[in-house]
Amino acid sequence: MAVIYDIRLLIAYHYPGFVADARHILRVEPREDRGQSVLASRLRFEPTPSELQRETDFFGNRTAHGLIARPHDALRVELETRVRVERPAPRLEDTPTLRQVREWSASSLESEGDSPIHFGGAGRLVSPSAKVAAYVAETLEAAPAIGLGLLMLSRRIRSDFRFQAGVSSVATRVEETFATRRGVCQDFSHMMIAGLRGCGVPAAYASGFLRTEPPPGRPRLAGADAMHAWVEAWAGPDAGWIGLDPTNGCLAGEDHVLVALGRDYADVAPIDGVLITAGPQKHHHAVDMVPVEPEVTAS
């Protein structure tokens, strides 16, 4: 069954003083693959950039490069997009073994952006970890198929680690998350990636939107959804990339809308840029993700 979502994203910054000019790169518009199609999209800046260029980066992510060439003390970025998602669950029992994936990964000669060759080593924030690899191997080696092992691993992380906001940052290392057994989706994704790469399994960092449901009997709150992080693991040339959400212990399904893929968060940050200011910046980020209508696909 396919689902159509209307998604709104707001990213706002307030600076302590005026910024003379700034350059920003955004990765906030959903991708057109992995069972997704973008039906409509509008991206707005305030102040309006004097230059705005859109392109697709090496990993296939949609980017927008903007130059704001006049003084400003705030930045506001708004995205409105409609996305159709149809992502059937993969047949995990039909995937190859861990040993086969290791052998195929080691011999891969493909060079495109989604080739496993780019996702087996270190990124700017994540390197393979022996301790985490040993933890991951305990689960993967007990599974008859890599896909089943990956789902078991996601569920194990969900059980063994505690979601706790405010205890980590972009700079938090994988070993710290593994030692403290707490963190947020970014931490658990980085940790799972480090462990998989340490076991010879290519793994990518996925950034996007996650539909969330309110508690029973409570109204749905606008902006209650959030940008989320999960993992894509390579399960061989036939099965390809499989999305897994270690924060929630599940496959990345039709509640997940993929925006960007990279080696770690540094490759997919929703907003990056260069500006000069003094003092702390105030930041606000809100997402609203609403299902428009379910679609039943004819068999």
Side-chain angles (χ1 to χ4, degrees):
M1 183 176 73
V3 183
I4 295 175
Y5 293 106
D6 277 344
I7 301 172
R8 294 186 177 186
L9 167 68
L10 169 64
I11 298 175
Y13 285 90
H14 294 274
Y15 309 119
F18 279 94
V19 174
D21 56 53
R23 287 189 177 272
H24 296 284
I25 176 172
L26 276 85
R27 306 176 191 88
V28 295
E29 295 183 272
R31 290 173 62 110
E32 293 260 23
D33 60 1
R34 302 318 202 261
Q36 297 179 182
S37 56
V38 178
L39 307 180
S41 186
R42 180 171 65 172
L43 186 63
R44 291 178 292 183
F45 287 77
E46 186 181 333
T48 302
S50 54
E51 297 177 11
L52 183 61
Q53 180 179 355
R54 295 171 182 266
E55 63 182 22
T56 301
D57 70 13
F58 177 74
F59 296 115
N61 305 315
R62 301 172 70 187
T63 66
H65 301 254
L67 168 63
I68 301 174
R70 61 187 177 91
H72 56 286
D73 61 358
L75 172 68
R76 184 182 180 93
V77 177
E78 293 181 83
L79 169 72
E80 295 181 355
T81 186
R82 175 169 286 191
V83 184
R84 182 180 185 273
V85 184
E86 186 171 15
R87 189 178 295 124
R91 292 180 57 85
L92 302 180
E93 66 274 13
D94 293 339
T95 55
T97 65
L98 171 61
R99 179 179 178 181
Q100 288 173 310
V101 171
R102 283 172 171 163
E103 292 174 352
W104 285 331
S105 173
S107 62
S108 175
L109 298 176
E110 298 177 4
S111 59
E112 293 81 3
D114 63 349
S115 168
I117 197 172
H118 303 298
F119 301 96
R124 283 180 282 176
L125 298 175
V126 172
S127 299
S129 165
K131 287 185 179 179
V132 182
Y135 172 87
V136 168
E138 287 176 0
T139 301
L140 295 188
E141 291 175 354
I146 185 73
L148 296 172
L150 291 168
L151 181 57
M152 290 166 56
L153 175 62
S154 297
R155 291 172 174 170
R156 184 182 179 192
I157 292 173
R158 172 69 178 84
S159 175
D160 290 351
F161 292 77
R162 181 161 62 97
F163 185 93
Q164 185 176 351
V167 299
S168 61
S169 69
V170 172
T172 299
R173 309 309 296 180
V174 164
E175 290 78 7
E176 181 180 344
T177 301
F178 187 68
T180 62
R181 299 288 171 118
R182 59 182 182 168
V184 294
C185 58
Q186 176 180 289
D187 304 308
F188 303 148
S189 296
H190 277 163
M191 184 185 69
M192 183 172 174
I193 287 168
L196 288 172
R197 291 178 185 171
C199 290
V201 178
Y205 185 99
S207 172
F209 302 110
L210 173 67
R211 176 187 178 184
T212 55
E213 297 292 345
R218 296 283 296 278
R220 186 181 179 283
L221 301 178
D225 298 307
M227 289 206 78
H228 191 52
W230 60 95
V231 175
E232 285 206 354
W234 190 70
D238 293 328
W241 294 93
I242 297 176
L244 301 127
D245 185 344
T247 304
N248 295 293
C250 64
L251 292 167
E254 288 168 352
D255 287 342
H256 296 71
V257 172
L258 180 63
V259 170
L261 289 168
R263 292 162 296 182
D264 51 38
Y265 177 80
D267 288 335
V268 305
I271 182 168
D272 255 331
V274 178
L275 56 87
I276 297 177
T277 186
Q281 305 173 24
K282 294 182 179 179
H283 172 242
H284 176 66
H285 174 183
V287 177
D288 194 28
M289 181 171 168
V290 180
V292 177
E293 57 179 304
E295 288 187 351
V296 178
T297 303
S299 57

